[in-house]
Amino acid sequence: MAFAIPSPFVWDQSFDVKNKALNAEHVRLFQLIDALDKNRDSAAALKELLDLVVAHFKHEENLFNEKHYSDAVAHKATHDKLLTDVAAVKSIGDGEIAFLKNWLVNHIKGSDQKYSDALHD
Ligand code: FEO
């Protein structure tokens, strides 16, 4: 299922996963994708985004282990696939920005929100 991409690209309550720290990271991911969109040639902007993506995935996956989340393996596979896909990115253009925005929106609404009941504060 495809979800609407917010424009401007900003987190809103419809992305709530009932965990403050994870919501805060998602807010920041929206901001960093938007920043990269506005500064596409910036290696620093791309690095900042990718560093947070890696840290955020690790955070979720650690919580999955801690809480014995039942869908952990499948969810981690979607994280790993994204990391493989972004590793192949050589430059940032319209296609890459659309891909990142689509991925974040659909991942939060299609996968992350499924852990809300297991990982909520
Ligand atoms: Fe919030 Fe599964 O990434």
Side-chain angles (χ1 to χ4, degrees):
M1 178 167 179
F3 298 94
I5 308 302
S7 181
F9 195 65
V10 177
W11 186 94
D12 64 56
Q13 280 298 329
S14 73
F15 294 94
D16 185 16
V17 294
K18 300 184 191 169
N19 178 300
K20 266 196 191 114
L22 295 175
N23 276 341
E25 289 169 10
H26 289 155
V27 167
R28 189 72 185 135
L29 287 170
F30 272 83
Q31 290 170 343
L32 292 180
I33 290 174
D34 190 56
L36 181 64
D37 185 13
K38 290 170 172 149
N39 200 358
R40 295 178 179 196
D41 294 329
S42 169
L46 179 59
K47 184 181 185 309
E48 193 177 1
L49 171 62
L50 296 184
D51 285 352
L52 179 58
V53 167
V54 169
H56 173 65
F57 286 175
K58 199 99 213 120
H59 188 186
E60 283 188 357
E61 289 160 18
N62 287 341
L63 288 173
F64 294 165
N65 289 337
E66 211 175 282
K67 309 276 188 186
H68 307 289
Y69 177 51
S70 59
D71 201 33
V73 171
H75 195 130
K76 183 179 186 303
T78 68
H79 288 170
D80 291 345
K81 171 78 165 68
L82 188 271
L83 293 176
T84 303
D85 288 347
V86 295
V89 168
K90 300 289 177 231
S91 63
I92 302 296
D94 289 347
E96 287 74 19
I97 293 296
F99 170 79
L100 289 168
K101 288 182 174 180
N102 268 296
W103 190 88
L104 185 64
V105 165
N106 284 285
H107 182 72
I108 294 174
K109 291 195 169 177
S111 297
D112 286 355
Q113 286 184 332
K114 290 182 183 163
Y115 65 53
S116 294
D117 290 339
L119 270 60
H120 66 82
D121 292 312

Coordinates of all heavy atoms in Angstrom, one line a residue, residues 39-89:
N39 N 19.8 20.5 -0.6 CA 21.3 20.7 -0.8 C 21.8 19.4 -1.3 O 22.6 18.7 -0.7 CB 21.9 21.0 0.6 CG 23.2 21.6 0.5 OD1 23.8 21.8 -0.5 ND2 23.8 21.9 1.7
R40 N 21.4 19.1 -2.5 CA 21.7 17.7 -3.1 C 23.1 17.4 -3.4 O 23.5 16.2 -3.4 CB 20.9 17.6 -4.4 CG 19.4 17.6 -4.2 CD 18.6 17.5 -5.5 NE 17.2 17.6 -5.2 CZ 16.3 17.2 -6.1 NH1 16.7 16.8 -7.3 NH2 15.0 17.2 -5.8
D41 N 24.0 18.4 -3.5 CA 25.4 18.1 -3.7 C 26.2 18.0 -2.5 O 27.4 17.8 -2.5 CB 26.0 19.2 -4.6 CG 25.4 19.2 -6.0 OD1 25.0 18.1 -6.5 OD2 25.3 20.3 -6.6
S42 N 25.6 18.1 -1.3 CA 26.3 18.1 -0.1 C 26.6 16.7 0.4 O 25.7 16.0 0.8 CB 25.5 18.9 1.0 OG 26.1 18.7 2.3
A43 N 27.9 16.3 0.4 CA 28.3 15.0 0.9 C 28.0 15.0 2.4 O 27.6 13.9 3.0 CB 29.7 14.8 0.7
A44 N 28.1 16.1 3.1 CA 27.9 16.2 4.6 C 26.4 15.9 4.9 O 26.1 15.2 5.8 CB 28.3 17.5 5.1
A45 N 25.5 16.4 4.1 CA 24.0 16.2 4.3 C 23.7 14.8 4.1 O 22.9 14.2 4.8 CB 23.2 17.1 3.3
L46 N 24.3 14.2 3.1 CA 24.0 12.7 2.8 C 24.6 11.9 3.9 O 23.9 11.0 4.4 CB 24.7 12.3 1.5 CG 24.5 10.8 1.1 CD1 23.0 10.5 1.0 CD2 25.2 10.5 -0.2
K47 N 25.8 12.2 4.4 CA 26.4 11.4 5.5 C 25.6 11.6 6.8 O 25.4 10.6 7.5 CB 27.9 11.9 5.7 CG 28.6 11.1 6.7 CD 30.0 11.5 7.0 CE 30.7 10.6 8.0 NZ 30.0 10.3 9.2
E48 N 25.2 12.8 7.1 CA 24.4 13.0 8.3 C 23.1 12.1 8.2 O 22.7 11.5 9.2 CB 24.0 14.4 8.5 CG 23.5 14.8 9.8 CD 23.2 16.2 10.1 OE1 23.4 17.0 9.2 OE2 22.8 16.6 11.2
L49 N 22.5 12.1 7.1 CA 21.2 11.3 6.9 C 21.6 9.8 7.1 O 20.9 9.1 7.9 CB 20.6 11.5 5.6 CG 19.5 10.6 5.2 CD1 18.3 10.7 6.1 CD2 19.0 10.8 3.7
L50 N 22.6 9.3 6.4 CA 22.9 7.9 6.5 C 23.4 7.5 7.9 O 23.0 6.4 8.3 CB 24.0 7.5 5.4 CG 23.5 7.8 4.0 CD1 24.6 7.3 3.0 CD2 22.2 7.1 3.7
D51 N 24.1 8.3 8.5 CA 24.5 8.0 9.9 C 23.3 7.8 10.8 O 23.3 6.9 11.7 CB 25.4 9.1 10.5 CG 26.8 9.0 9.9 OD1 27.2 8.1 9.2 OD2 27.6 10.0 10.1
L52 N 22.3 8.7 10.7 CA 21.1 8.6 11.5 C 20.3 7.4 11.1 O 19.8 6.7 12.0 CB 20.3 9.8 11.4 CG 19.0 9.8 12.3 CD1 19.3 9.5 13.8 CD2 18.1 11.0 12.2
V53 N 20.2 7.1 9.8 CA 19.5 5.9 9.4 C 20.1 4.6 10.1 O 19.4 3.8 10.6 CB 19.6 5.7 7.8 CG1 19.1 4.4 7.4 CG2 18.7 6.8 7.2
V54 N 21.4 4.5 10.0 CA 22.1 3.4 10.6 C 21.8 3.3 12.1 O 21.5 2.2 12.7 CB 23.6 3.4 10.3 CG1 24.4 2.4 11.2 CG2 23.9 3.2 8.8
A55 N 22.0 4.4 12.8 CA 21.8 4.5 14.3 C 20.3 4.2 14.6 O 20.0 3.5 15.6 CB 22.2 5.8 14.8
H56 N 19.4 4.7 13.8 CA 18.0 4.5 14.1 C 17.6 3.0 13.9 O 16.8 2.5 14.7 CB 17.2 5.4 13.1 CG 15.7 5.1 13.2 ND1 14.9 5.4 14.3 CD2 14.8 4.6 12.3 CE1 13.7 5.0 14.1 NE2 13.6 4.5 12.9
F57 N 18.1 2.4 12.8 CA 17.8 1.0 12.6 C 18.3 0.2 13.8 O 17.6 -0.7 14.3 CB 18.4 0.5 11.3 CG 17.7 1.0 10.0 CD1 18.2 0.7 8.8 CD2 16.5 1.7 10.1 CE1 17.6 1.1 7.6 CE2 15.9 2.2 8.9 CZ 16.4 1.9 7.7
K58 N 19.5 0.5 14.2 CA 20.1 -0.3 15.3 C 19.2 -0.1 16.6 O 19.0 -1.0 17.3 CB 21.5 0.3 15.5 CG 22.4 -0.5 16.3 CD 23.4 -1.3 15.4 CE 23.8 -2.6 16.0 NZ 23.5 -3.8 15.1
H59 N 18.8 1.1 16.8 CA 17.9 1.4 18.0 C 16.7 0.6 17.9 O 16.3 -0.1 18.9 CB 17.6 2.9 18.0 CG 16.9 3.4 19.2 ND1 16.4 4.7 19.3 CD2 16.6 2.8 20.4 CE1 15.8 4.8 20.5 NE2 15.9 3.7 21.2
E60 N 16.0 0.6 16.8 CA 14.8 -0.2 16.7 C 15.1 -1.7 16.9 O 14.4 -2.4 17.6 CB 14.1 0.0 15.3 CG 13.3 1.3 15.2 CD 12.5 1.4 13.9 OE1 12.6 0.5 13.0 OE2 11.8 2.4 13.7
E61 N 16.1 -2.2 16.2 CA 16.5 -3.6 16.3 C 16.9 -4.0 17.7 O 16.5 -5.1 18.1 CB 17.5 -3.9 15.3 CG 17.0 -3.8 13.8 CD 18.1 -3.7 12.8 OE1 19.3 -3.9 13.1 OE2 17.8 -3.2 11.6
N62 N 17.5 -3.1 18.4 CA 17.9 -3.4 19.8 C 16.6 -3.6 20.7 O 16.5 -4.5 21.5 CB 18.8 -2.4 20.4 CG 20.2 -2.5 19.9 OD1 20.6 -3.5 19.4 ND2 20.9 -1.4 20.0
L63 N 15.6 -2.7 20.4 CA 14.4 -2.7 21.1 C 13.6 -4.0 20.8 O 12.9 -4.6 21.6 CB 13.5 -1.5 20.9 CG 14.0 -0.2 21.5 CD1 13.2 1.0 21.1 CD2 13.9 -0.3 23.1
F64 N 13.7 -4.4 19.5 CA 13.0 -5.6 19.1 C 13.5 -6.8 19.9 O 12.7 -7.6 20.4 CB 13.3 -6.0 17.6 CG 12.7 -5.0 16.6 CD1 13.1 -5.0 15.3 CD2 11.7 -4.1 16.9 CE1 12.6 -4.1 14.3 CE2 11.2 -3.2 16.0 CZ 11.6 -3.2 14.7
N65 N 14.8 -6.9 20.1 CA 15.4 -8.0 20.8 C 15.0 -7.9 22.3 O 14.6 -8.9 22.9 CB 17.0 -7.9 20.8 CG 17.5 -8.3 19.4 OD1 16.8 -9.0 18.6 ND2 18.7 -7.8 19.0
E66 N 15.1 -6.7 22.8 CA 14.8 -6.5 24.2 C 13.3 -6.9 24.5 O 13.0 -7.5 25.6 CB 14.9 -5.0 24.5 CG 15.3 -4.6 25.9 CD 15.5 -3.0 25.9 OE1 16.6 -2.6 25.4 OE2 14.6 -2.3 26.3
K67 N 12.4 -6.5 23.6 CA 11.0 -6.8 23.9 C 10.5 -8.0 23.2 O 9.3 -8.3 23.2 CB 10.1 -5.6 23.3 CG 10.6 -4.2 23.7 CD 10.0 -3.8 25.0 CE 10.4 -2.4 25.4 NZ 9.9 -2.0 26.7
H68 N 11.4 -8.8 22.6 CA 11.0 -10.0 21.9 C 9.9 -9.8 20.9 O 8.9 -10.5 20.8 CB 10.6 -11.1 22.9 CG 11.6 -11.3 24.0 ND1 12.9 -11.9 23.8 CD2 11.7 -10.9 25.3 CE1 13.6 -11.9 24.9 NE2 12.9 -11.3 25.8
Y69 N 10.1 -8.8 20.1 CA 9.1 -8.4 19.1 C 9.0 -9.5 18.0 O 10.0 -9.9 17.4 CB 9.5 -7.1 18.4 CG 8.6 -6.6 17.3 CD1 7.2 -6.5 17.5 CD2 9.1 -6.2 16.1 CE1 6.4 -6.1 16.5 CE2 8.3 -5.8 15.1 CZ 6.9 -5.7 15.3 OH 6.1 -5.3 14.3
S70 N 7.8 -10.0 17.8 CA 7.6 -11.1 16.9 C 7.9 -10.9 15.4 O 8.3 -11.9 14.8 CB 6.1 -11.6 17.0 OG 5.3 -10.5 16.6
D71 N 7.9 -9.7 15.0 CA 8.1 -9.5 13.5 C 9.6 -8.9 13.3 O 9.9 -8.4 12.2 CB 7.1 -8.5 13.0 CG 7.0 -8.6 11.5 OD1 7.1 -9.7 10.9 OD2 6.7 -7.6 10.8
A72 N 10.4 -9.2 14.3 CA 11.8 -8.6 14.2 C 12.6 -9.0 13.0 O 13.2 -8.1 12.3 CB 12.6 -8.9 15.4
V73 N 12.5 -10.2 12.6 CA 13.4 -10.7 11.5 C 12.9 -10.1 10.2 O 13.8 -9.5 9.4 CB 13.3 -12.2 11.4 CG1 14.0 -12.7 10.1 CG2 14.0 -12.8 12.6
A74 N 11.6 -10.1 9.9 CA 11.1 -9.5 8.6 C 11.4 -8.0 8.6 O 11.8 -7.4 7.6 CB 9.6 -9.8 8.5
H75 N 11.2 -7.3 9.8 CA 11.4 -5.9 9.8 C 12.9 -5.5 9.6 O 13.2 -4.7 8.8 CB 11.0 -5.3 11.2 CG 10.8 -3.9 11.2 ND1 9.7 -3.2 11.7 CD2 11.6 -2.9 10.8 CE1 9.8 -1.9 11.6 NE2 11.0 -1.7 11.1
K76 N 13.8 -6.3 10.2 CA 15.2 -6.0 10.0 C 15.6 -6.2 8.5 O 16.4 -5.5 8.0 CB 16.1 -6.9 10.9 CG 17.6 -6.7 10.8 CD 18.4 -7.5 11.7 CE 19.9 -7.1 11.7 NZ 20.5 -7.2 10.3
A77 N 14.9 -7.2 7.9 CA 15.2 -7.4 6.5 C 14.9 -6.2 5.6 O 15.6 -5.9 4.7 CB 14.5 -8.7 6.0
T78 N 13.8 -5.5 6.0 CA 13.5 -4.3 5.2 C 14.6 -3.2 5.5 O 14.9 -2.4 4.6 CB 12.1 -3.7 5.5 OG1 12.0 -3.2 6.9 CG2 11.0 -4.8 5.3
H79 N 15.1 -3.1 6.7 CA 16.2 -2.2 7.0 C 17.4 -2.5 6.2 O 18.0 -1.6 5.6 CB 16.5 -2.3 8.5 CG 15.5 -1.7 9.5 ND1 15.6 -1.9 10.8 CD2 14.4 -0.9 9.2 CE1 14.6 -1.2 11.4 NE2 13.8 -0.7 10.5
D80 N 17.8 -3.8 6.2 CA 19.0 -4.2 5.5 C 18.9 -3.9 4.0 O 19.8 -3.5 3.4 CB 19.2 -5.7 5.7 CG 19.6 -6.0 7.2 OD1 20.0 -5.0 7.9 OD2 19.6 -7.2 7.6
K81 N 17.7 -4.1 3.4 CA 17.4 -3.9 2.0 C 17.7 -2.4 1.7 O 18.3 -2.0 0.7 CB 16.0 -4.3 1.6 CG 15.6 -3.9 0.2 CD 16.1 -4.8 -0.8 CE 15.5 -4.7 -2.2 NZ 15.7 -3.5 -2.9
L82 N 17.1 -1.5 2.6 CA 17.3 -0.1 2.4 C 18.8 0.3 2.4 O 19.3 1.1 1.5 CB 16.5 0.7 3.4 CG 16.4 2.2 3.3 CD1 17.5 3.0 4.0 CD2 16.2 2.7 1.9
L83 N 19.5 -0.3 3.4 CA 21.0 0.0 3.5 C 21.7 -0.4 2.2 O 22.6 0.3 1.7 CB 21.6 -0.6 4.7 CG 21.0 -0.1 6.0 CD1 21.6 -0.8 7.2 CD2 21.4 1.4 6.2
T84 N 21.3 -1.6 1.7 CA 21.9 -2.1 0.4 C 21.6 -1.1 -0.7 O 22.5 -0.7 -1.5 CB 21.4 -3.5 0.1 OG1 21.7 -4.3 1.2 CG2 22.1 -4.0 -1.2
D85 N 20.4 -0.7 -0.8 CA 19.9 0.2 -1.9 C 20.6 1.6 -1.8 O 21.1 2.1 -2.8 CB 18.4 0.4 -1.9 CG 17.7 -0.8 -2.3 OD1 18.3 -1.8 -2.9 OD2 16.4 -0.9 -2.1
V86 N 20.8 2.1 -0.6 CA 21.4 3.4 -0.5 C 22.9 3.4 -0.7 O 23.5 4.3 -1.2 CB 21.0 4.2 0.8 CG1 19.6 4.6 0.9 CG2 21.5 3.5 2.0
A87 N 23.5 2.2 -0.4 CA 24.9 2.1 -0.7 C 25.2 2.2 -2.2 O 26.4 2.6 -2.5 CB 25.4 0.7 -0.1
A88 N 24.3 1.9 -3.0 CA 24.5 1.9 -4.5 C 24.2 3.3 -5.0 O 24.5 3.6 -6.2 CB 23.5 0.9 -5.1
V89 N 23.8 4.3 -4.2 CA 23.5 5.6 -4.7 C 24.8 6.4 -4.9 O 25.6 6.4 -4.0 CB 22.6 6.4 -3.7 CG1 22.5 7.9 -4.0 CG2 21.2 5.8 -3.6

